[in-house]
């Protein structure tokens, strides 16, 4: 259980012990869960949303263009290219999973979660399933998550609005080379929750996430990656069958005692 | 986990520690041991030292070895680990060692003796020297599933802050030790140690070669110190507002 679920259960236990409130009525979802031996979900409590956005998948660039923007979440989600808003497949996956986004194909057909999740795992779009799980974990906790090194906002004054975004396709191609199985990859720039976040001027990230593969990184790798991150703190992420954990390996210097 | 500093076991214990610097007590131990006729004898993989009350007190105050409880009053007995014995003999130059009834004078003979008993002895000794020479108290970490636990002063005064795991790599930066090879090793160490309020400290002995002699071990290896910390994003610090934008999160 994650932190939110733990506090929910604790709160409920407290209420039950005090004998207050209608226990059955207070948390019908959890009661249903317990009665039917249902597992806890990967996202606690997906509410029905009234603010649903729409985006259209653009295969040539491996992203979706947002065509109907609803809700304030877009202040910290999606990238701006030449005045238009686009989102990466991991953002689509997360928003679709929580019901905040409907994804259309190049026609008017709605793409289901199965297709969206499959695209997340596809690797052609700069994402892997583990990458998506890490994204979802951090995003659902309120962090602002961007692909490492990718600008939040770009203007191409000499490009027509519908032309190919070579910048992004190049970047996706780079990303495919980088995301080797088992290797360590710098994947996210993370900003702490901030209502004043501006895509045109995000500032330096609070930390950078490195997704690590099957083996823990060795000292040499840690030092190499730290140098690449310059002064931004680095955290290592390991995803194991949906379980997302983060570690850091700060250098310390035990003081000489008197 | 973030450690907020040493956890002293009593109200004025920090002051007691400050008034009794460990380096000074160790200096007293050195004098006492040097003047003692007692020599450490191998028993099993450890060493046995017969002591008298003054030496007993100093060994306890500097937390070397384990005192064996006996019904004798005039003499006491300590069991010392290989690293402790070698450190007192070689680094502090005060402990006599007797093997096969011969009092060894040559520290290199003793070094070869220790190496013949344990291939990894040089690595552990290097780590032990690194910690003890900074005046930290070093005890075995078996209870916590690690190599050592280190204390800022005597264990009676303060809880240990770090659980130490010793690893090694060669001079090309290639990992050679068997520790932290798989993810469950990390998860396990961090879980076990955080549960007892200790941070995991990974000491990497770098640049070691098997044919090193004793001076080369100390001069040509470097000990890298890194903490292994788990970051739990949902427990971010207070300055990290997790409510986020309205309407964005449930």
């Amino acid at each position: 259980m994650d932190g939110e679920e733990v506090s929910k259960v604790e709160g409920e236990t407290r209420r039950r012990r005090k004998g207050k409130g209608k226990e059955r009525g207070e948390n019908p979802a959890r009661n249903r869960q317990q009665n039917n031996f249902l597992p806890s979900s990967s996202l606690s409590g997906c509410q029905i949303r009234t603010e649903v956005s729409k985006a259209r998948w653009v295969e040539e660039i491996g992203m979706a263009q947002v065509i109907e923007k609803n809700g304030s979440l877009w202040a910290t989600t999606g990238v701006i290219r030449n005045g238009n808003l686009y989102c990466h497949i991991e953002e689509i996956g997360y928003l679709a999973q929580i019901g905040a986004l409907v994804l259309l194909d190049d026609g008017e057909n709605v793409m289901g979660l199965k297709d969206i999740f499959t695209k997340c795992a596809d690797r052609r779009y700069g994402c892997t399933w583990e990458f998506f799980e890490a994204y979802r974990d951090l995003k659902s906790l309120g962090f602002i998550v961007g692909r490492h090194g990718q600008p939040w906002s770009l203007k191409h004054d000499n490009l027509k609005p519908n032309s190919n975004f070579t910048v992004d396709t190049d970047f996706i191609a780079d990303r495919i080379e980088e995301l080797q199985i088992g290797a360590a990859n710098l994947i996210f720039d993370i900003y702490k929750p901030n209502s004043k976040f501006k895509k045109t001027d995000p500032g330096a990230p609070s930390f950078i996430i490195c997704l690590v593969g099957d083996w823990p990184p060795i000292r040499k790798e840690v030092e190499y990656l730290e140098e690449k991150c310059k002064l931004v703190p680095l955290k290592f992420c390991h995803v194991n069958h949906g379980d997302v954990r983060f570690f850091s390996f700060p250098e310390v210097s035990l003081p000489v005692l008197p | 986990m973030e450690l907020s500093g040493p956890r002293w076991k009593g109200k004025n214990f920090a002051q007691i520690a400050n008034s009794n610097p460990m380096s000074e007590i160790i200096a007293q131990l050195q004098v006492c041991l040097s003047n003692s006729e007692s020599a450490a004898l191998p028993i099993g993989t450890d060493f046995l030292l017969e002591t008298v009350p003054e030496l007993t007190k100093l060994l306890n105050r500097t937390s070397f070895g384990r005192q064996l409880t006996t019904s004798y009053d005039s003499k006491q007995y300590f069991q010392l680990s290989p690293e402790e014995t070698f450190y007192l003999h070689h680094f502090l130059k005060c402990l006599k060692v007797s093997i096969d009834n011969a009092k060894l004078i040559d520290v290199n003979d003793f070094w070869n003796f220790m190496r013949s008993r344990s291939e990894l002895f040089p690595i552990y000794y290097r780590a032990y020297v690194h910690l003890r020479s900074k005046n930290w108290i070093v005890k075995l970490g078996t209870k916590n599933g690690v190599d050592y636990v280190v204390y800022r002063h005597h264990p009676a005064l303060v809880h240990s802050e770090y659980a130490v795991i010793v690893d090694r790599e060669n001079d090309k930066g290639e990992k050679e030790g068997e520790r932290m090879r798989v993810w469950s090793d990390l998860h396990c160490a961090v879980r076990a140690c955080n549960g007892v309020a200790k941070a995991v400290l990974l000491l990497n002995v770098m640049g070691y070669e098997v044919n090193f002699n004793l001076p080369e071990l100390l001069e040509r290896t470097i000990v890298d110190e890194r903490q292994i910390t788990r970051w739990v994003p949902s427990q971010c610090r207070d300055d990290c507002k997790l409510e986020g934008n309205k309407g964005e999160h449930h």
Side-chain angles (χ1 to χ4, degrees):
Chain A
M1 291 199 286
D2 68 15
E4 268 188 89
E5 286 171 305
V6 169
S7 40
K8 265 193 194 152
V9 174
E10 280 173 354
E12 213 187 320
T13 313
R14 246 177 269 128
R15 282 190 289 274
R16 199 172 289 140
R17 282 191 185 144
K18 284 184 183 168
K20 287 185 187 161
K22 298 170 209 164
E23 292 162 14
R24 288 267 147 207
E26 274 205 85
N27 199 336
R30 183 157 291 281
N31 289 326
R32 262 201 306 281
Q33 212 177 62
Q34 286 168 346
N35 291 339
N36 297 325
F37 304 105
L38 293 173
S40 50
S41 60
S42 57
L43 286 175
S44 43
C46 290
Q47 298 167 337
I48 294 167
R49 295 184 170 260
T50 50
E51 289 173 326
V52 182
S53 303
K54 243 189 223 171
R56 173 165 283 117
W57 182 251
V58 183
E59 182 65 31
E60 301 83 68
I61 57 167
M63 296 205 287
Q65 181 171 1
V66 182
I67 51 183
E68 255 179 58
K69 203 172 106 166
N70 289 312
S72 57
L73 63 89
W74 295 107
T76 52
T77 311
V79 293
I80 300 169
R81 296 289 181 264
N82 209 28
N84 291 322
L85 184 61
Y86 295 86
C87 43
H88 289 293
I89 189 60
E90 65 273 12
E91 295 173 306
I92 297 164
Y94 169 70
L95 293 175
Q97 188 173 346
I98 61 168
L101 180 76
V102 166
L103 183 69
L104 304 175
D105 64 8
D106 55 8
E108 284 304 309
N109 301 311
V110 173
M111 291 174 71
L113 271 181
K114 187 173 80 156
D115 291 331
I116 294 170
F117 284 162
T118 307
K119 278 196 180 347
C120 286
D122 195 329
R123 288 175 180 268
R124 273 184 293 166
Y125 311 112
C127 188
T128 63
W129 186 248
E130 288 73 26
F131 182 111
F132 166 64
E133 289 180 304
Y135 176 86
R136 182 178 61 193
D137 194 72
L138 290 164
K139 189 77 174 159
S140 66
L141 288 168
F143 291 94
I144 299 168
V145 188
R147 285 196 178 185
H148 173 64
Q150 181 153 111
W152 286 89
S153 176
L154 262 188
K155 274 186 193 157
H156 304 277
D157 293 329
N158 54 354
L159 281 180
K160 289 179 199 163
N162 296 335
S163 59
N164 282 334
F165 287 80
T166 47
V167 172
D168 289 317
T169 15
D170 286 345
F171 197 86
I172 291 171
D174 289 341
R175 178 70 65 170
I176 293 164
E177 282 167 36
E178 283 172 27
L179 285 176
Q180 302 146 33
I181 301 167
N185 303 286
L186 297 177
I187 57 167
F188 297 134
D189 291 338
I190 306 287
Y191 299 81
K192 288 183 182 166
N194 173 15
S195 54
K196 297 195 180 73
F197 179 80
K198 277 190 176 57
K199 289 180 184 175
T200 47
D201 182 23
S206 306
F207 33 86
I208 294 172
I209 303 290
C210 172
L211 185 65
V212 198
D214 300 326
W215 313 110
I218 64 172
R219 183 201 56 88
K220 217 167 56 163
E221 286 174 331
V222 173
E223 277 188 16
Y224 169 72
L225 290 162
E226 279 175 343
E227 262 167 63
K228 279 180 88 171
C229 293
K230 297 173 184 128
L231 293 172
V232 181
L234 177 60
K235 297 198 192 296
F236 292 82
C237 178
H238 178 236
V239 183
N240 186 35
H241 303 296
D243 188 87
V244 183
R245 279 175 201 248
F246 299 91
F247 289 92
S248 54
F249 307 109
E251 260 193 287
V252 293
S253 187
L254 240 56
V256 177
L257 299 171
Chain B
M1 57 168 267
E2 298 282 339
L3 276 182
S4 49
R7 295 185 305 134
W8 297 97
K9 289 182 174 174
K11 215 174 161 192
N12 299 317
F13 286 12
Q15 285 152 294
I16 296 171
N18 279 338
S19 316
N20 293 278
M22 191 49 67
S23 56
E24 284 177 16
I25 313 172
I26 288 180
Q28 292 170 34
L29 171 68
Q30 271 178 294
V31 169
C32 188
L33 255 181
S34 299
N35 293 334
S36 165
E37 283 306 309
S38 189
L41 313 168
I43 40 155
T45 51
D46 284 349
F47 291 80
L48 180 71
L49 184 68
E50 191 180 75
T51 62
V52 292
E54 194 205 347
L55 181 55
T56 301
K57 186 176 151 198
L58 285 166
L59 284 169
N60 279 325
R61 287 187 74 201
T62 53
S63 215
F64 277 99
R66 293 168 66 174
Q67 188 176 350
L68 302 174
T69 322
T70 68
S71 50
Y72 288 112
D73 279 334
S74 54
K75 286 201 166 83
Q76 293 82 49
Y77 296 88
F78 275 78
Q79 182 169 342
L80 299 166
S81 72
E83 299 96 300
E84 289 173 325
T85 312
F86 205 83
Y87 186 78
L88 290 167
H89 176 77
H90 158 252
F91 204 86
L92 294 184
K93 297 182 179 24
C94 56
L95 176 66
K96 295 162 193 65
V97 176
S98 175
I99 294 171
D100 296 332
N101 292 318
K103 286 228 170 101
L104 280 177
I105 310 162
D106 189 336
V107 70
N108 287 313
D109 287 343
F110 191 28
W111 171 246
N112 292 328
F113 174 80
M114 294 299 240
R115 291 196 58 181
S116 68
R117 296 171 121 206
S118 166
E119 209 184 308
L120 289 179
F121 175 74
I123 303 297
Y124 284 104
Y125 182 60
R126 183 66 185 92
Y128 189 87
V129 166
H130 179 80
L131 296 165
R132 268 283 188 183
S133 61
K134 291 191 187 190
N135 294 316
W136 286 75
I137 300 289
V138 186
K139 303 304 289 182
L140 276 184
T142 325
K143 248 197 294 197
N144 297 102
V146 293
D147 294 316
Y148 303 118
V149 285
V150 291
Y151 300 79
R152 200 168 276 259
H153 204 277
H154 197 278
L157 299 179
V158 68
H159 292 284
S160 72
E161 287 163 64
Y162 292 99
V164 181
I165 294 172
V166 180
D167 203 7
R168 68 191 191 279
E169 58 181 63
N170 61 22
D171 56 359
K172 295 185 199 73
E174 291 160 1
K175 183 172 155 67
E176 285 197 330
E178 295 305 315
R179 315 303 291 281
M180 307 293 116
R181 279 253 180 224
V182 293
W183 280 106
S184 52
D185 292 340
L186 263 89
H187 295 315
C188 185
V190 170
R191 176 81 189 233
C193 298
N194 283 2
V196 287
K198 293 182 210 313
V200 180
L201 182 66
L202 184 66
L203 287 189
N204 205 348
V205 178
M206 295 164 34
Y208 174 68
E209 283 171 40
V210 164
N211 55 5
F212 273 1
N213 58 30
L214 183 51
E216 282 171 328
L217 172 73
L218 296 181
E219 288 157 22
R220 291 176 58 182
T221 59
I222 297 170
V223 179
D224 177 72
E225 295 174 1
R226 279 200 185 252
Q227 206 173 303
I228 302 176
T229 315
R230 187 169 162 221
W231 177 61
V232 184
S234 57
Q235 292 167 15
C236 211
R237 269 182 269 151
D238 293 319
D239 57 14
C240 183
K241 303 172 203 70
L242 288 178
E243 289 80 28
N245 295 328
K246 275 191 181 153
E248 182 169 356
H249 312 291
H250 31 262

